[in-house]
Structures are given as C-alpha cells and as structure tokens.
Amino acid sequence: MKSYLDISKEKLDALRQRDDYYILAFESSCDETAVSVTKGREIVSNIVSSQIEIHRRFGGVVPEIASRNHALQIDSLTKEALDAASVGLKDISAVAVTYGAGLLGALLVGVSYAKALAYGASLPLIAVNHIKGHVAANFISSPRLQPPFIALLASGGHTYILAVRTFDDMEVLGSTLDDAVGEAFDKAARVLGLPYPGGPEIERAAKCGKPVYKLPRAFKGDKRLDFSFSGLKTALINTVHGMKQRGEEFSVADVACSFQTEAVGVLVDHTAEAVRRTGIKTVALAGGVGANGALREALSLRGAVEGFDVLLPPKSLCTDNAAMIGVAAYEMIRLGAAPAPLSLDADPSL
Ligand code: KG4
Ligand code: ZN
C-alpha cells in the first residue's frame, strides 16, 4: 500500500505545470487566525480573524491566549473560507500552512489542523516559511512579477532586505541585529501611552506632528545594510523620560513623527543602497509595517527619484493573512517543493 507521503508526491508532481487548481492555506503564527483559498496567484477567498481586541488590554500579544483563540476559531474559519470561495474540500488540490517563524503554540494550532486535514483528505501539504509568505503577497498584487527583485520585509517579528533571485533563492542583504521595526513601533507607542498595536497608532499621531527631535541612527557611515531598532527605541525612551523629569511639556505627535521619520528613513536609505549595489531595479514591500503610509510614500518617492520600481501590495496583504501563504505554496510547488511529512513540526525561530 502506498504511504501518505508517496501519494502526496504523486499528487504534487501532477500539479507542477498547472495554475488552475485550488490551495487551502492556513496562517496562525501570531495573533491573526487566517484561512484562504487561492488559485495560482489569485485570491479566491481570504478570511482573517484578528485577535487585536483581545490582546489590547495586555498591551501586546499573550502567546497562550493567542493559541487558545486560534484553536477556537480555526475550524469555523475554514468552513467560512471554503464557503466564501464556493468550493468544498473535494475541490482542493493541496493544503499550505505557516510552520515558522512565530509563536510556538500559535503555529502548532495551524500545523496540527492542516496536517490532520491534509491526511484525512489525502492531500499534499506544503510547509511555508512566514517570511516567504510575506514576500509572496507581491505576486498577488503584481501577478506578472518575476524575480529578481529586492524585497523590503518589515514586520512585527522581522526586518530584512532580501535579494530575491528566485523564490527559493533569497539572499539576506541586511537584517536587524536586535528589535524588528514593527516591534520598535509597538514599544514606542507604549512609551507614548498609545494602545497596541503601536504601528497604526504612531502613524495616526505622527500625521499631526513634526520631526523636531533628532533621533540617532545606528552604524552611521558604516557600509552595512543592517538595522538596529533597539537603539532608536532607547533614544526615544530617553528623550521622553528626560522631558518628563524636567517637567517639560511635549507633543506626543511630534515624538511619534520624529520616531516614524527616522524608522522610515533608515528603511528607505538601506533599500535604495541595496538597489545600487545589486543593480536590481524592482523593490517589493512586504510585512505589517508595509501598511505604513509614510513608508509607502517615502519608498515610492525614492524610487521615482533614483529610477527603481516600487511595488506596494494593498495594506490588507501587508499584514498577516493566509492568501500570501497559499500563493507562496503555489510558487514552491512550481519550483519542485517536496510535500511535508506528517512529522512536520512548528519551528518558532525558522
Ligand atoms: O506582518 P505582521 O502583521 O505580523 C508579523 O509577522 O509580525 O506585522 C505586525 C506589525 C506590528 O508590529 C504592527 O505595529 C505593525 O506591523 N504595523 C504597522 C502599521 N500597521 C501594522 N507599523 C507601522 N505603521 C502601520 N500602519
Ligand atoms: Zn507577519
């Protein structure tokens, strides 16, 4: 009798040259439970259930609470995603799931559910790296996009400048040595008394402010394309505490704007430098911080001035969703990816 893995390999091989089949995809790495049906680079349905309201009163994501809520939601969201796509499980050809990086317990919910479903329906399972998923969001909004391109991935857990040579060959040109940029936005917001998640709150506050506080840049004059957002966060904390201790009045909007200006500035400067160094003239934005209007504007402007194309996925595809996981799986299948075995485990630090 053929094993599940043998059947999966045969089924995947039959899909490699096709783009007309449905993938059912799951994403549960942080505080969004997301299920999607995709076909090639198209979204057929995309259901995202955010737990933001649940975690807000704690000022950040509580991992245990996140996992429990994923477990409560995932089954009904799967039905919702299939219904919204007007398909049944019998119409699905492959299952895709984020297996890392992220919160262990949260990832395990998606991985266990996807494994059980794939095995039960005798479907091949594709294990997707969350970061590759974010990059793949650009294939949805720019269906004709082909590597090579530079990806600026800015999220709550990661900050990378990647040279995407093919979808399975991504070179890291720069990364953060400490906090991710989204994490820095969240911490800056907390210091300013703004709720979680901090990114959109800082953006909102910054609209009424001016960048009057000069915050330092790490590795100034250094040739590296790496980032240090912990230094920026500490400088912000020191600035705010200093003013409070001296009893000075200050505008939250001005501090937020100063922080955002510096965070966006370093992302854009390093990305433009990556374009110069590689000669690759297309930049794709990805990750939750990619929803930031100031970043989108500054990157587009720099592209216009320095002659590179900037791809901006809609904001809903920058933050966590399962459609990007489905499309990443489709690209991986085309490139010959092997099916995941039933021993697939979550990998929080992938
Ligand atoms: O990609 P994502 O949804 O989850 C991770 O993989 O981390 O990113 C979430 C991060 C959070 O830190 C959030 O504050 C940030 O993205 N974010 C923003 C904006 N919207 C979300 N940061 C700046 N400006 C925004 N508009
Ligand atoms: Zn993410």
Side-chain angles (χ1 to χ4, degrees):
M1 207 179 89
K2 280 185 191 161
S3 69
Y4 163 71
L5 206 54
D6 287 337
I7 296 171
S8 293
K9 279 184 192 142
E10 281 175 14
K11 289 193 171 174
L12 266 193
D13 284 338
L15 298 177
R16 306 249 186 239
Q17 308 301 323
R18 290 175 45 196
D19 57 10
D20 60 345
Y21 61 91
Y22 294 111
I23 295 180
L24 178 62
F26 298 94
E27 155 62 43
S28 69
S29 65
C30 191
D31 60 346
E32 265 91 28
T33 324
V35 188
S36 176
V37 175
T38 55
K39 187 167 126 189
R41 290 180 169 186
E42 274 169 45
I43 298 177
V44 187
S45 70
N46 188 21
I47 309 291
V48 182
S49 168
S50 172
Q51 301 177 14
I52 283 177
E53 291 307 326
I54 297 170
H55 296 282
R56 183 166 279 150
R57 70 188 135 126
F58 303 106
V61 179
V62 183
E64 179 65 23
I65 295 178
S67 337
R68 282 165 193 253
N69 277 287
H70 287 313
L72 284 175
Q73 296 265 347
I74 196 161
D75 195 49
S76 59
L77 293 178
T78 303
K79 292 193 179 77
E80 217 180 297
L82 289 168
D83 285 351
S86 303
V87 297
L89 201 50
K90 62 174 186 346
D91 304 306
I92 300 294
S93 295
V95 178
V97 66
T98 304
Y99 76 110
L103 302 169
L104 176 60
L107 288 164
L108 274 174
V109 175
V111 168
S112 315
Y113 189 90
K115 280 203 290 192
L117 190 124
Y119 181 67
S122 200
L123 291 171
L125 176 64
I126 300 291
V128 179
N129 179 327
H130 185 75
I131 291 169
K132 287 182 98 171
H134 273 302
V135 172
N138 281 277
F139 292 132
I140 303 173
S141 44
S142 304
R144 281 202 285 274
L145 172 65
Q146 294 298 342
F149 57 87
I150 299 291
L152 169 59
L153 174 79
S155 78
H158 307 277
T159 315
Y160 287 113
I161 297 177
L162 303 165
V164 182
R165 306 205 189 273
T166 68
F167 196 61
D168 56 8
D169 175 13
M170 301 190 190
E171 185 193 347
V172 177
L173 301 177
S175 65
T176 180
L177 303 181
D178 39 58
D179 290 357
V181 60
E183 197 179 349
F185 266 93
D186 294 338
K187 287 177 178 169
R190 202 185 303 189
V191 173
L192 292 173
L194 302 170
Y196 173 84
E201 296 292 333
I202 293 272
E203 179 174 7
R204 206 167 299 131
K207 285 204 174 103
C208 315
K210 292 193 185 66
V212 291
Y213 301 99
K214 293 286 162 265
L215 298 168
R217 179 166 298 186
F219 322 125
K220 208 167 183 140
D222 194 302
K223 297 250 174 321
R224 285 190 272 190
L225 295 181
D226 291 328
F227 305 97
S228 166
F229 288 105
S230 168
L232 177 59
K233 171 201 70 188
T234 307
L236 176 105
I237 293 173
N238 290 344
T239 304
V240 170
H241 285 180
M243 290 188 293
K244 280 186 180 166
Q245 269 167 3
R246 292 191 297 274
E248 281 172 32
E249 294 259 325
F250 66 92
S251 135
V252 167
D254 286 347
V255 179
C257 184
S258 305
F259 173 83
Q260 180 175 271
T261 302
E262 176 51 29
V264 164
V266 70
L267 289 172
V268 172
D269 286 350
H270 286 199
T271 305
E273 180 58 25
V275 169
R276 282 193 286 274
R277 286 189 197 176
T278 57
I280 299 173
K281 298 229 173 262
T282 302
V283 171
L285 185 60
V289 182
N292 183 279
L295 174 58
R296 295 166 78 89
E297 209 173 292
L299 194 59
S300 302
L301 194 65
R302 187 68 69 90
V305 171
E306 297 192 9
F308 57 87
D309 292 327
V310 176
L311 305 178
L312 304 173
K315 296 181 182 186
S316 60
L317 292 177
C318 289
T319 48
D320 287 350
N321 65 87
M324 67 186 195
I325 303 302
V327 171
Y330 160 73
E331 297 293 326
M332 291 165 67
I333 292 170
R334 273 197 328 137
L335 291 167
L342 289 173
S343 58
L344 174 71
D345 205 354
D347 184 349
S349 56
L350 183 67

